[in-house]
C-alpha cells in the first residue's frame, strides 16, 4: 500500500510541475527584434523545474507522507519513492517533449 502512495505522489507532482512549466512558458511574452531571448527563458524554466521535480517528489513523500510503521515498511516506502522520483523525472521529460512537439508553433514548443 505504501508503494502505491509513493507512485501516486510521483505522478501527481510531475503533472502539477508540468502544468506550472506550461503556465510560466505562456506568461513569458514574445520578444521582437533580431536576437530575441524569450525562447531561452522558456527553455531554462522548463529545465529548472525539471531538475526540481525528483527532489520535490522525494522531499514531499518523505516528510509529509512517510508511514509511521516499522523499519522494513519505511525502507520499502523510501525505495518506492526513489523509483517514483526517477520515473517522475522521465515522465516529465517525455510529456514535455510530446507537448513541445504538439505545440511546436506556440510558446511551449520552445522547451526542446
Amino acid at each position: 500500500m505504501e508503494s502505491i502512495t509513493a507512485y501516486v505522489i510521483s505522478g501527481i507532482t510531475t503533472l502539477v510541475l508540468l502544468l506550472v512549466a506550461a503556465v510560466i512558458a505562456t506568461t513569458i511574452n514574445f520578444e521582437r527584434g533580431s536576437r530575441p531571448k524569450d525562447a531561452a527563458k522558456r527553455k531554462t524554466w522548463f529545465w529548472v523545474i525539471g531538475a526540481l521535480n525528483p527532489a520535490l517528489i522525494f522531499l514531499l513523500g518523505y516528510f509529509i507522507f512517510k508511514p509511521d510503521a516499522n523499519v522494513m515498511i519505511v525502507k520499502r516506502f523510501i525505495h518506492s519513492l526513489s523509483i517514483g522520483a526517477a520515473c517522475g523525472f522521465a515522465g516529465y521529460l517525455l510529456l514535455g517533449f510530446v507537448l513541445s512537439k504538439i505545440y511546436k508553433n506556440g510558446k511551449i514548443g520552445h522547451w526542446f
Side-chain angles (χ1 to χ4, degrees):
M1 186 68 179
E2 290 82 17
S3 62
I4 293 172
T5 304
Y7 298 134
V8 169
I9 291 168
S10 172
I12 291 173
T13 305
T14 299
L15 291 176
V16 167
L17 289 178
L18 195 62
L19 180 67
V20 168
V23 167
I24 289 173
T26 56
T27 58
I28 296 173
N29 292 328
F30 283 116
E31 293 180 5
R32 302 197 187 271
S34 61
R35 299 181 71 187
K37 294 182 171 77
D38 59 331
K41 290 178 187 176
R42 289 186 197 94
K43 187 179 287 191
T44 301
W45 273 107
F46 175 78
W47 287 103
V48 166
I49 293 172
L52 291 175
N53 185 18
L56 188 63
I57 289 170
F58 192 81
L59 292 174
L60 184 69
Y62 187 78
F63 287 113
I64 295 178
F65 295 104
K66 185 173 80 169
D68 294 328
N70 63 11
V71 176
M72 291 301 292
I73 293 175
V74 172
K75 284 185 180 180
R76 194 175 319 138
F77 177 74
I78 291 173
H79 179 69
S80 298
L81 198 58
S82 300
I83 293 171
C87 291
F89 181 69
Y92 180 85
L93 292 180
L94 181 68
L95 288 172
F97 182 75
V98 168
L99 285 174
S100 71
K101 294 305 173 191
I102 290 172
Y103 300 108
K104 62 183 173 185
N105 294 329
K107 293 181 177 182
I108 293 176
H110 295 137
W111 283 349
F112 282 92

